[in-house]
Amino acid sequence: MLVIVAPGQGAQTPGFLTPWLEDPAFAARFHWLSTVAGLDLAHYGTEADAETIRDTQIAQPLLVATALVSALHLFPHPGDAFERIGAVAGHSVGEIAAAAGARAITAEQAMVLVRERGKAMAQAAAVTPTGMTAVLGGDRDEVLASIAAAGLTPANDNGPGQVVAAGTMEQLAAFAENPPAKARLRPLSVAGAFHTVHMAPAVSHLEHLAAAVTTHDARTRVISNRDGRVVHEGREVLRRIVGQISSPVRWDLCMETMSDLGVTGILEMPPAGTLTGIAKRALKGVETFSFNGPDQIDEARAFIDKHGEPAGLDLTPTWRVVVSPAKGTFHVGEEIGDTDLVAPGASIGRVASSRDEVSVKALHGGQVVEWLVEDGDLVSPGQPLLRLHPEGSL
């Protein structure tokens, strides 16, 4: 199975777009998304220095536009992608690119959202001097306890030996004076404490905008940063992306879900290297591909051919399907019984695993057409459970 991932802020480097923009088709598409964002992203990706592209308002639209346009070079006919992509995920702002790639939102919607996200996060970061520090190595429990004791937030949990602490500069300074045993601290060149309560004002702004966005159910599995769950319903995908601005990124749980899915290959969109590097350490035996330039297109397509398989979610639009958010044992809810009509938001059952138990809801509701599993069946993340006619479509 193939998973395609999109990197988050910090992956950008000066001049990384130069080889891409030599292709007229890439340049034209990139110019279109730059126009939507209201920024000269071509300039920032080719001529701007590291300090300039560190700016949140520039870095985030630059990364999302790059991921979206380079994806069109891998899949000139976008509909073909869903016969090969088992799941998508994005780290932090990369979730917006993943959502657009899964067709939960459009590319234009993605660019408006990321433009406003970058502005709002920059404004929130300006209120109080804050920052982030990577904690490398050490005992996981001790690291998390030390972060909490310092009043910091584990804003990025990227798996074994890599947690990012975030908070005020005073808190980070105190943390540096009393670091966890056997851990190395590396201050990050970021503009604020992302994915913490300091970003709450940005959440409010994006919630207001997101209310006007029309969404569609994802056409492949979307693995959420919040808890590693597979999310299918478009409105839920968007709601999670907005809330994630002030909540920790649980990339460790995203990788756990990839493992549950049986992933064999991970391809990272440009500028690539960060997420494939994490995967090499955490997902032993899984092949990775860092897609960084147009000269790699043939090699990247061969990688996709080797690992690709459909997610099974590219269904006729007249159907709605409820999917499992996680791996575990599915139990049909007692309240649903033998009913033929499911109310919007009703629980259809639960998925129990060794980690926890998750309620499964039919967010749209509708007429039951077909149960695709039985009570007590083992299910995988994103597996279709129930097929519905949308309420009001009959």
Side-chain angles (χ1 to χ4, degrees):
M1 176 179 287
L2 172 71
V3 175
I4 292 185
V5 297
Q9 190 168 343
Q12 71 279 1
T13 56
F16 79 93
L17 265 183
T18 299
W20 287 104
L21 290 171
E22 294 173 358
D23 183 301
F26 185 101
R29 290 165 173 162
F30 199 78
H31 178 68
W32 169 250
L33 294 186
S34 297
T35 301
V36 177
L39 293 167
D40 186 356
L41 296 178
H43 163 72
Y44 292 123
T46 57
E47 300 176 6
D49 60 22
E51 184 62 26
T52 300
I53 61 175
R54 174 177 173 264
D55 186 336
T56 302
Q57 300 177 73
I58 294 169
Q60 295 191 8
L62 181 60
L63 289 167
V64 171
T66 300
L68 293 178
V69 179
S70 56
L72 287 174
H73 276 242
L74 283 182
F75 301 103
H77 303 289
D80 296 342
F82 305 111
E83 291 301 314
R84 300 181 182 182
I85 300 174
V88 295
H91 192 287
S92 186
V93 72
E95 279 204 309
I96 295 180
R103 296 295 187 267
I105 57 176
T106 68
E108 290 77 11
Q109 289 170 333
M111 292 310 300
V112 172
L113 287 169
V114 74
R115 178 193 71 201
E116 295 302 311
R117 182 187 196 267
K119 288 180 181 179
M121 291 178 73
Q123 291 169 0
V127 174
T128 303
T130 56
M132 305 177 82
T133 295
V135 185
L136 307 174
D139 178 81
R140 176 181 172 81
D141 291 338
E142 291 181 11
V143 166
L144 293 175
S146 294
I147 290 173
L152 298 167
T153 300
N156 294 172
D157 193 335
N158 293 328
Q162 190 179 111
V163 178
V164 176
T168 67
M169 300 308 291
E170 291 81 4
Q171 290 170 327
L172 289 170
F175 182 62
E177 292 177 359
N178 186 29
K182 300 180 181 179
R184 294 178 291 114
L185 304 187
R186 185 170 59 117
L188 300 181
S189 180
V190 295
F194 303 146
H195 303 293
T196 70
V197 294
H198 296 284
M199 294 293 111
V203 175
S204 298
H205 178 57
L206 265 291
E207 282 178 339
H208 182 70
L209 290 175
V213 174
T214 300
T215 63
H216 301 276
D217 287 353
R219 292 179 64 184
T220 191
R221 300 177 184 91
V222 177
I223 303 174
S224 171
N225 278 184
R226 190 174 81 184
D227 50 16
R229 303 297 186 200
V230 169
V231 188
H232 177 60
E233 198 272 329
R235 180 55 53 182
E236 178 68 4
V237 171
L238 184 57
R239 187 181 69 82
R240 282 171 170 253
I241 286 174
V242 171
Q244 198 63 44
I245 294 171
S246 64
S247 300
V249 172
R250 293 301 305 271
W251 194 250
D252 60 325
L253 299 181
C254 291
M255 291 190 295
E256 184 177 308
T257 295
M258 294 177 200
S259 180
D260 289 343
L261 285 168
V263 60
T264 59
I266 295 175
L267 185 146
E268 183 177 1
M269 302 307 292
T274 301
L275 300 181
T276 49
I278 294 172
K280 287 176 183 178
R281 295 189 296 272
L283 297 171
K284 301 297 184 182
V286 174
E287 288 190 71
T288 61
F289 190 97
S290 297
F291 184 37
N292 275 314
D295 59 327
Q296 294 178 294
I297 287 177
D298 289 342
E299 189 179 355
R301 287 176 178 165
F303 184 86
I304 290 167
D305 289 341
K306 178 179 179 181
H307 296 282
E309 61 180 56
L313 298 180
D314 189 18
L315 303 173
T316 306
T318 55
W319 304 108
R320 288 284 189 184
V321 64
V322 182
V323 306
S324 174
K327 176 182 178 180
T329 303
F330 177 69
H331 299 286
V332 177
E334 295 180 1
E335 62 274 25
I336 195 169
D338 296 325
T339 183
D340 291 329
L341 187 64
V342 178
S347 173
I348 67 163
R350 64 191 190 281
V351 175
S353 69
S354 57
R355 192 172 82 195
D356 55 17
E357 187 171 280
V358 188
S359 176
V360 183
K361 295 183 179 180
L363 297 182
H364 292 287
Q367 186 78 28
V368 175
V369 176
E370 179 185 15
W371 278 97
L372 303 173
V373 295
E374 295 181 357
D375 186 72
D377 279 356
L378 293 175
V379 295
S380 59
Q383 180 176 335
L385 305 174
L386 175 64
R387 201 188 307 268
L388 298 168
H389 262 307
E391 189 175 41
S393 68
L394 300 178

